[in-house]
Amino acid sequence: MDSFVDTHCHLDFEDFAADLGDILIRAKEAGVEQIITIGIEVSSSRRAASLAEANNEVYASVGIHPHNACQLSSENIQELIALGGKSKVVAYGEIGLDFYRNYQPRSVQLSCLLDQISLARQLDLPLVVHDRDAHEEILQTLRDERAWEIGGVMHCFSGDWSFAQRCLDLGFYLSIAGPVTFAKSQTLQQVALNCPLDRLLLETDAPFLAPVPRRGKRNEPAFLVHTAKKIASLKKLPLADVARQTTFNARDLFKLPDPAEIITIEKNE
Ligand SMILES: [Zn+2]
Ligand SMILES: [Zn+2]
């Protein structure tokens, strides 16, 4: 069976509280072997790290989303550093700029982003970047901060191919989510078509943005396969190729172990 990594979802959200066990089973049945659950503020980062500790296939990212930028107190920074040092915490984020919702003043978002890029560098964790209607500002910041030295991903990529190329030039991966399956998403489909397969990651961003044919429903990691199939059809490649390469990419960026190798090591012990 093809195996996949869901590189971005929010398993700690209320939406999943009642049936997380079933969701993890369905993910496994769909071939989604590893899942990264993403923190959006300190308490969700704490929950993400606990979920990773409790479930073999789950890994965590910690950080403060631009919607919550004002919460970056020195106490919070200390806790994020502690969480970021845990072994199954594999990334720093999601961090970034959201000039669509503008829940925080832009200057606050920007200083929070800068502070957290330094934290990620200190923790040696790749960046999970959220960018909504802030393409130029994000690129400028990542460039100024020499973010290619840290590495990372533009999650739920939403720009056009020319912006995509500039992100690729920075050494970042592009992560494609469910909207690539929507009929109207031609710009994103063009990005998925043009982007070299070795620079692509897959994500659900669950519980949001369920792909067709689940559009409008609660999203979950098992639905990643619909996004993968769409990308395979756009690129006219076998699904197995998309699965193999995007899984390799995710393991490379986030330094995830290959589950098959873990089993072999345990058997040999
Ligand atoms: Zn996001
Ligand atoms: Zn997210």
Side-chain angles (χ1 to χ4, degrees):
M1 186 169 60
D2 297 321
S3 64
F4 301 93
V5 179
D6 182 355
T7 64
H8 190 117
C9 64
H10 299 279
L11 294 182
D12 71 298
F13 281 22
E14 256 314 292
D15 310 66
F16 298 121
D19 60 346
L20 185 61
D22 293 339
I23 281 163
L24 294 177
I25 290 168
R26 286 199 290 271
K28 188 163 282 174
E29 286 169 353
V32 180
E33 283 191 331
Q34 289 164 318
I35 299 169
I36 304 177
T37 189
I38 309 284
I40 56 164
E41 24 76 14
V42 175
S43 61
S44 94
S45 297
R46 200 184 296 139
R47 291 195 299 272
S50 308
L51 283 168
E53 271 170 23
N55 299 281
N56 278 340
E57 68 273 54
V58 178
Y59 294 81
S61 179
V62 299
I64 300 179
H65 191 286
H67 288 345
N68 306 310
C70 62
Q71 294 172 5
L72 197 56
S73 65
S74 63
E75 195 181 315
N76 284 346
I77 290 174
Q78 287 317 309
E79 182 163 8
L80 287 165
I81 291 173
L83 289 171
K86 291 179 180 260
S87 67
K88 288 188 81 191
V89 173
V90 296
Y92 196 96
E94 55 184 301
I95 58 173
L97 301 172
D98 194 311
F99 292 172
Y100 178 74
R101 300 258 183 224
N102 281 310
Y103 287 157
Q104 304 290 334
R106 292 185 177 192
S107 59
V108 174
Q109 292 189 37
L110 202 56
S111 75
C112 190
L113 173 60
L114 288 170
D115 288 347
Q116 293 192 92
I117 293 174
S118 328
L119 279 180
R121 186 186 288 279
Q122 184 185 333
L123 289 161
D124 195 22
L125 292 173
L127 305 169
V128 175
V129 176
H130 172 103
D131 155 36
R132 189 128 188 234
D133 289 359
H135 298 336
E136 291 308 320
E137 294 84 353
I138 282 278
L139 259 185
Q140 191 58 50
T141 307
L142 293 176
R143 258 199 222 114
D144 291 349
E145 296 304 304
R146 305 174 63 85
W148 59 85
E149 296 170 349
I150 310 169
V153 55
M154 305 299 287
H155 114 81
C156 195
F157 187 80
S158 62
D160 62 10
W161 173 237
S162 104
F163 178 62
Q165 285 172 285
R166 294 159 71 205
C167 296
L168 294 171
D169 287 345
L170 267 186
F172 270 56
Y173 284 90
L174 309 183
S175 179
I176 306 287
V180 76
T181 66
F182 302 169
K184 278 194 185 147
S185 298
Q186 280 148 1
T187 305
L188 184 58
Q189 289 166 4
Q190 194 67 43
V191 169
L193 171 65
N194 290 347
C195 181
L197 194 55
D198 64 359
R199 308 303 302 160
L200 273 186
L201 298 177
L202 304 178
E203 68 171 87
T204 56
D205 206 7
F208 311 112
L209 297 172
V212 173
R214 303 289 187 147
R215 190 172 182 181
K217 304 268 183 344
R218 180 189 68 171
N219 200 1
E220 62 176 75
F223 300 169
L224 187 77
V225 179
H226 301 298
T227 300
K229 282 182 181 160
K230 180 68 185 184
I231 292 173
S233 92
L234 288 166
K235 287 183 165 305
K236 299 190 170 57
L237 288 173
L239 180 62
D241 289 10
V242 172
R244 192 183 321 106
Q245 185 66 50
T246 57
T247 296
F248 177 88
N249 299 343
R251 290 187 185 147
D252 190 46
L253 177 63
F254 299 114
K255 302 190 175 70
L256 306 179
D258 180 339
E261 284 171 14
I262 300 177
I263 292 162
T264 318
I265 291 164
E266 280 170 359
K267 274 186 189 153
N268 290 342
E269 270 169 5

